[in-house]
Amino acid sequence: MKRTIIASLFLIIACKEEKKENVTLTQPETEQVKEKVVLHNESNESEAAQKWLEKSIVDYFKADLVKQDKNMQKMTTKDYYDYKTDATNVDLDVDGSLTEQEFKDKWKDKFDTAKAGIGIGFLIPAQDWNNIEVGSCELKSSSKDEYTFNVVLRDDSFKAKYPSVIKVIKENGSFLIADVLQEEPK
């Protein structure tokens, strides 16, 4: 009888240890699956942001010149639109125009004013273009709802390339350009 009780105890203990091993094996697998899902979703979001950016740029330059300002407003955040409008109009003889120093003082806390593209247009420094295309658009970095791309726009007719860094955010389910770092022509 003692032997039966002892054998039963060993059997019970062995079953409990086997269950513990199964539990520890399934937990890491679950965590790995969660990590893969999160990484896959981030990848899909950055790809969607990239496709949106490329299409928006092409559509912007194909639009009628009269509609370009409205198109720019639709594809940028309000802050960036106001900032770029101020940058474009620095030292011009128009209402609300700022001096370069006033511009820098106004926007230095929100944007890198050295890369504003002062006195030049939105996305490209050229006043004239023929057919702007996206030469390359590569993800530089991303975080939650914010994507930064290295972008090169080109106009083969003028044999011109326009490199910039463009930050896109996702806001209320839509993508918007939040900043464009442009090199000023020399």
Side-chain angles (χ1 to χ4, degrees):
M1 178 98 155
K2 282 183 177 181
R3 288 183 182 171
T4 309
I5 294 173
I6 293 174
S8 297
L9 287 175
F10 281 126
L11 187 59
I12 292 171
I13 292 171
C15 288
K16 284 184 180 178
E17 286 181 20
E18 188 174 317
K19 286 181 183 176
K20 286 180 185 176
E21 287 179 23
N22 286 340
V23 169
T24 57
L25 287 176
T26 57
Q27 286 176 343
E29 289 173 8
T30 304
E31 289 173 13
Q32 288 175 352
V33 170
K34 285 180 184 176
E35 286 178 28
K36 288 179 184 176
V37 169
V38 169
L39 291 175
H40 186 63
N41 286 343
E42 287 175 5
S43 173
N44 286 343
E45 283 292 313
S46 64
E47 287 174 19
Q50 181 176 351
K51 287 177 183 174
W52 172 85
L53 180 60
E54 291 173 354
K55 182 181 182 330
S56 296
I57 290 170
V58 170
D59 290 349
Y60 172 79
F61 285 104
K62 289 188 184 216
D64 185 4
L65 290 175
V66 176
K67 295 181 182 178
Q68 280 191 326
D69 187 59
K70 286 195 185 287
N71 288 345
M72 181 182 165
Q73 281 182 304
K74 289 178 187 176
M75 64 192 282
T76 62
T77 62
K78 182 181 179 347
D79 272 352
Y80 180 76
Y81 175 79
D82 293 342
Y83 165 73
K84 185 57 186 176
T85 301
D86 282 351
T88 302
N89 294 330
V90 164
D91 290 330
L92 293 181
D93 191 20
V94 295
D95 288 341
S97 175
L98 304 171
T99 66
E100 189 169 343
Q101 190 57 50
E102 290 170 333
F103 169 78
K104 288 178 180 178
D105 291 342
K106 180 179 178 180
W107 293 106
K108 68 182 174 191
D109 294 333
K110 288 187 177 184
F111 295 96
D112 180 358
T113 58
K115 304 278 185 175
I118 293 176
I120 60 177
F122 176 55
L123 298 173
I124 64 170
Q127 288 184 337
D128 297 319
W129 67 87
N130 190 16
N131 184 34
I132 299 293
E133 295 179 359
V134 178
S136 65
C137 182
E138 297 173 2
L139 182 65
K140 179 179 178 182
S141 65
S142 68
S143 60
K144 184 166 175 51
D145 294 331
E146 186 175 297
Y147 312 93
T148 305
F149 296 93
N150 286 323
V151 179
V152 176
L153 302 179
R154 69 174 204 267
D155 187 344
D156 293 337
S157 301
F158 287 96
K159 294 183 172 106
K161 290 184 180 181
Y162 309 106
S164 60
V165 175
I166 301 176
K167 182 168 90 175
V168 173
I169 63 167
K170 188 167 189 180
E171 189 174 88
N172 300 324
S174 299
F175 294 111
L176 296 169
I177 294 174
D179 197 5
V180 179
L181 303 177
Q182 292 177 276
E183 294 294 330
E184 294 179 28
K186 298 181 176 152

